[in-house]
Amino acid sequence: MRKRLVIGNWKMNMLKKEALELAQRLSELLSHLNQVDIVVAPPYTSLDVVYKVIHKTNIQLAGQNVFWEPSGAFTGEISPYMLIEAGCKWVIIGHSERRDILGEDDNMVERKIKASINAGLIPILCVGEKLDEREKGYTMKVIKSQIEKGLKNLNLADPNSIAIAYEPVWAIGTGKNATPEEAEAVHGFVRETLRKIFNGIADNIRILYGGSVTPENIKGLISSPDIDGALIGGASLRAESFAKIARLIGGMPHWT
Ligand code: 13P
């Protein structure tokens, strides 16, 4: 049985004061929600202030990115150990914004995944096709390649030591989410791909959907068998909407 998981990716938003207020409000709204694992990923500069608010609650902390070396002359980078020291249990890796804007490739993603797992962080590997790739019928090919390359030579015994996020690039920040049927088709394929890589544990690895998730569309998505939760951008910047999504993912009655 896979426990559902919801992650708020705050991206490059929230100065410290705003981050503090959002974390405080989330703690109030979500402290009793144990049916779902709840994670927030603030920018690096707010990790500390958010950790102080959430560390005694059920809300966990994630980094939005990481570098693969433990320390050294890598100006501007952050190591897995630095994230752990800041209170992180999780780290988002290979987000399409990093792939497309910052030039991150599958080889870098693979190194980041390995370094994070070795340090004791749980990576969330992001995969997803662009609009033109979908239109040409390449969706599954792109997803397969990103997963196989990102997880190359990785031996895992514990399914909870990683999560996958399927985020169709055309759905991110556009208000145009994949339908539950479109998302489930890819999630089922991700699960098949994981089975070929990890055999037994693949059925217990959590696969999240991301891309314009809102309180209005999450119910349809989460009722699909291979969608185990969501990675949320815009709607995670408002406490009420993130909490509402988290409650719906956790199967709680609708928020009033
Ligand atoms: P939006 O929810 O804003 O579409 O962003 C999704 C995302 O990129 C989460 O990582």
Side-chain angles (χ1 to χ4, degrees), residues 32-195:
H32 300 298
L33 187 62
N34 295 314
Q35 295 85 342
V36 52
D37 284 333
I38 305 164
V39 180
V40 292
Y44 296 139
T45 48
S46 294
L47 285 174
D48 198 34
V49 73
V50 171
Y51 180 70
K52 284 196 182 107
V53 175
I54 64 169
H55 79 281
K56 287 191 180 141
T57 74
N58 50 340
I59 305 174
Q60 304 171 54
L61 198 63
Q64 295 180 15
N65 179 36
V66 69
F67 193 60
W68 53 80
E69 293 292 343
S71 64
F74 304 102
T75 302
E77 296 295 334
I78 301 266
S79 82
Y81 299 99
M82 291 169 179
L83 288 182
I84 291 169
E85 186 181 52
C88 293
K89 287 204 172 114
W90 300 78
V91 59
I92 298 169
I93 295 180
H95 193 282
S96 64
E97 285 150 16
R98 295 210 56 81
R99 293 179 190 258
D100 297 343
I101 305 169
L102 282 309
E104 204 164 289
D105 63 21
D106 288 319
N107 178 263
M108 296 159 85
V109 169
E110 180 214 334
R111 296 173 83 172
K112 291 178 179 201
I113 296 268
K114 283 214 183 74
S116 298
I117 290 179
N118 288 340
L121 284 168
I122 307 171
I124 303 130
L125 168 62
C126 300
V127 299
E129 83 287 3
K130 295 181 192 151
L131 183 59
D132 65 316
E133 292 167 335
R134 171 161 282 259
E135 286 172 349
K136 286 182 192 143
Y138 294 162
T139 299
M140 303 310 184
K141 195 174 148 201
V142 170
I143 301 300
K144 182 170 186 282
S145 167
Q146 288 176 338
I147 292 178
E148 286 178 349
K149 288 178 180 160
L151 303 181
K152 204 165 83 187
N153 300 323
L154 192 65
N155 286 317
L156 286 186
D158 179 3
N160 289 315
S161 57
I162 198 163
I164 311 292
Y166 167 56
E167 298 203 302
V169 179
W170 48 271
I172 295 177
T174 58
K176 192 169 176 257
N177 64 291
T179 64
E181 294 73 27
E182 284 169 335
E184 176 57 26
V186 180
H187 279 237
F189 179 77
V190 169
R191 178 104 37 227
E192 273 307 311
T193 309
L194 292 175
R195 281 193 192 112

Side-chain angles (χ1 to χ4, degrees), residues 9 11 95 97 167 171-173 210-213 231-234:
N9 176 8
K11 306 192 180 182
H95 193 282
E97 285 150 16
E167 298 203 302
I172 295 177
S212 295
V213 172
L231 178 55
I232 300 159

